[in-house]
């Protein structure tokens, strides 16, 4: 694909993202075998010969691949002529951050790239926002997986998970949705199990996501023990209280420490050797834009073909790009044209 064609594809993609049509089209549903079971996936098949195969990895959201915003992304990519495979990652959709997430992404890449009806060339590309962008970068650092890859686009990815958790716990002004997800996953390393407390955190996350008027949290919260209600309130409003528990987590060793290390892209960066597009919101209130800048700097220093786009047109890991600030649109077009050129597969 030449640069002009890729530019035109990028313009059409950005225009497609402005659509308000969130209806799921007629998709082919498949089952992807993974080491812990199977994942269902939606396949968006192009009307003519495919330009390449793109796997979209949903962010930390309960609707996953059928989140209305993500459906628009999938349809927009598909209308360009790409085969789009969008699995439902059940653990990610249940707000669980673990090494299994990475294994599921790896297994999905291996399976899809091996299906001739979905990917005739044996190589795929990835489009992933938010934490899934970082998890995908870690997955493709595995040489066996990288050999099945053309390129990856990560939106709002983090470099070092310790820094992100520390920032969200310390700064009350940052995104509560992201903070609560991290508390749900990592607070057990400090206090152990507390079913009532963690149910409250989970319900608060769901209320935030769905914007419920009659929230799910209140009925449960009113029945909690006072000590647990006080603990929850402190987690929500007291940054010093949160940081006390974060410092306990940081002092952990063994498997707990290994998990945090394994989830940091910086610890895998020397194994990343494929074309990478990093896009980040300038005012991201979950993962600061300098995380992508740091990744870009290190990758370029190693000679990796990597493009960076910091833009004010999106928020954290967003997949919907506002075109209100027209001065930034050419930068976005150039960035996505890089991805579409690399995702184009001549063997398709």
């Amino acid at each position: 694909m030449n640069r002009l064609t890729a530019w035109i594809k990028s313009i059409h993609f950005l225009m497609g993202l402005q659509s308000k049509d969130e209806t799921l089209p007629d998709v082919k549903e498949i089952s992807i075998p993974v080491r812990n079971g199977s994942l269902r996936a939606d396949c968006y098949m192009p009307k003519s010969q495919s330009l390449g195969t793109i796997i979209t990895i949903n962010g930390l959201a309960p609707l996953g691949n059928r989140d209305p915003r993500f459906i628009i992304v999938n349809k927009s990519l598909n209308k360009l002529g790409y085969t789009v495979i969008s699995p439902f990652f059940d653990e990610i959709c249940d707000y669980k951050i673990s090494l299994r997430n990475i294994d599921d992404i790896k297994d999905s890449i291996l399976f899809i790239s091996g299906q001739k009806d979905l990917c005739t060339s044996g190589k795929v590309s990835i489009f992933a926002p938010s934490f899934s962008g970082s998890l995908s970068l870690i997955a493709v650092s595995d040489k066996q997986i990288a050999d099945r890859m053309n390129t990856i686009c990560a939106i709002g990815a983090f470099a070092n998970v310790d820094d992100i958790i520390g920032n969200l716990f310390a700064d009350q002004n940052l995104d509560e949705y992201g903070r609560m997800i991290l508390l749900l996953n990592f607070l057990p390393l400090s206090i152990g199990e507390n079913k009532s407390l963690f149910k409250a955190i989970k319900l608060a996350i769901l209320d935030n996501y769905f914007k419920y008027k009659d929230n799910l949290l209140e009925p449960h919260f009113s029945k909690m023990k006072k000590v647990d209600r006080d603990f929850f309130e402190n987690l929500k409003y007291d940054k010093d209280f949160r940081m006390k528990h974060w410092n306990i987590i940081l002092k952990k060793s063994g498997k707990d420490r290994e998990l945090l290390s394994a989830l940091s892209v910086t610890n895998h960066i020397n194994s990343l050797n494929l074309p990478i597009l990093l896009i980040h919101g300038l005012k991201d209130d979950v993962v600061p834009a300098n995380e992508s800048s740091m990744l870009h700097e290190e990758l370029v220093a190693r000679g990796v073909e990597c493009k960076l786009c910091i833009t004010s047109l999106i928020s954290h890991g967003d997949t919907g790009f506002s075109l209100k600030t027209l001065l930034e649109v050419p930068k976005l077009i150039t960035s996505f044209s890089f991805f579409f050129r690399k995702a184009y597969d001549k063997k398709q």
Side-chain angles (χ1 to χ4, degrees):
M1 181 183 294
N2 61 41
R3 292 179 184 274
L4 177 59
T5 302
W7 254 70
I8 294 171
K9 295 288 183 188
S10 298
I11 293 170
H12 287 167
F13 177 62
L14 290 171
M15 294 303 294
L17 295 181
Q18 309 311 303
S19 171
K20 303 299 182 184
D21 181 7
E22 301 171 342
T23 57
L24 181 71
D26 183 19
V27 295
K28 174 184 176 182
E29 293 186 56
I30 64 168
S31 178
I32 298 174
V34 294
R35 64 198 72 183
N36 294 296
S38 63
L39 305 174
R40 57 182 170 82
D42 293 334
C43 302
Y44 297 70
M45 307 303 291
K47 294 181 179 179
S48 57
Q49 185 177 3
S50 177
L51 299 179
T53 302
I54 298 175
I55 304 174
T56 58
I57 315 291
N58 59 262
L60 291 159
L63 297 180
N65 62 341
R66 294 194 176 177
D67 182 298
R69 298 165 297 178
F70 214 56
I71 289 174
I72 290 174
V73 170
N74 289 333
K75 289 198 294 188
S76 299
L77 291 170
N78 179 237
K79 285 179 181 177
L80 301 181
Y82 291 94
T83 300
V84 178
I85 314 297
S86 191
F88 180 87
F89 292 91
D90 53 346
E91 285 230 337
I92 295 176
C93 295
D94 197 32
Y95 300 112
K96 294 176 182 176
I97 301 172
S98 70
L99 297 183
R100 182 193 151 179
N101 304 152
I102 299 169
D103 288 338
D104 283 350
I105 293 171
K106 287 182 178 181
D107 291 345
S108 297
I109 293 169
L110 289 174
F111 176 78
I112 293 168
S113 62
Q115 304 302 302
K116 291 296 183 182
D117 58 329
L118 302 175
C119 179
T120 58
S121 71
K123 287 195 172 187
V124 301
S125 300
I126 284 182
F127 183 101
S130 184
F131 274 69
S132 295
S134 296
L135 297 174
S136 297
L137 286 168
I138 295 169
V140 302
S141 68
D142 182 324
K143 188 180 185 307
Q144 181 189 15
I145 306 302
D147 288 343
R148 304 289 189 95
M149 293 292 302
N150 282 323
T151 184
I152 179 171
C153 171
I155 304 174
F158 60 80
N160 189 307
V161 74
D162 289 22
D163 293 342
I164 299 309
I165 299 174
N167 287 340
L168 276 171
F169 281 18
D171 192 338
Q172 190 66 31
N173 295 319
L174 295 181
D175 180 63
E176 183 177 293
Y177 181 76
R179 180 186 302 121
M180 285 294 184
I181 291 174
L182 292 176
L183 284 167
L184 183 68
N185 282 276
F186 296 104
L187 188 61
L189 301 182
S190 172
I191 68 170
E193 290 300 319
N194 184 325
K195 290 184 179 179
S196 179
L197 175 66
F198 288 110
K199 181 177 179 179
I201 294 173
K202 179 74 171 289
L203 293 175
I205 295 168
L206 291 171
D207 281 341
N208 189 306
Y209 176 82
F210 287 108
K211 310 297 182 188
Y212 286 126
K213 292 180 180 179
D214 299 321
N215 66 62
L216 300 171
L217 173 61
E218 186 55 40
H220 173 72
F221 187 79
S222 64
K223 297 176 184 177
M224 290 170 66
K225 296 177 182 177
K226 184 179 185 304
V227 63
D228 288 339
R229 290 201 306 270
D230 291 343
F231 198 103
F232 179 84
E233 292 290 305
N234 285 330
L235 286 176
K236 190 169 183 178
Y237 299 112
D238 189 339
K239 66 178 183 179
D240 292 331
F241 185 80
R242 292 193 299 266
M243 287 308 294
K244 180 184 77 172
H245 288 281
W246 177 231
N247 287 327
I248 293 172
I249 294 169
L250 285 177
K251 291 177 183 177
K252 293 279 184 177
S253 58
K255 290 185 178 180
D256 296 337
R257 182 69 253 174
E258 289 173 9
L259 172 63
L260 289 170
S261 297
L263 290 173
S264 289
V265 180
T266 49
N267 293 330
H268 304 269
I269 203 161
N270 288 332
S271 301
L272 284 167
N273 288 296
L274 72 162
I276 297 171
L277 171 61
L278 300 171
I279 295 180
H280 216 116
L282 181 63
K283 297 179 180 179
D284 191 321
D285 61 354
V286 179
V287 179
N290 64 0
E291 290 285 306
S292 282
S293 297
M294 184 193 317
L295 288 174
H296 178 256
E297 185 177 338
E298 291 192 35
L299 288 166
V300 170
R302 287 188 46 249
V304 176
E305 191 175 8
C306 181
K307 190 170 184 63
L308 173 68
C309 177
I310 307 294
T311 175
S312 63
L313 301 182
I314 59 169
S315 57
H316 171 66
D318 207 345
T319 51
F321 293 76
S322 167
L323 301 183
K324 293 179 181 178
T325 308
L326 294 178
L327 291 175
E328 289 199 44
V329 172
K331 182 167 64 174
L332 269 178
I333 293 172
T334 302
S335 299
F336 279 118
S337 68
F338 170 87
F339 176 70
F340 294 134
R341 279 192 294 114
K342 300 301 179 182
Y344 173 66
D345 205 320
K346 296 177 181 178
K347 296 180 182 179
Q348 288 281 11

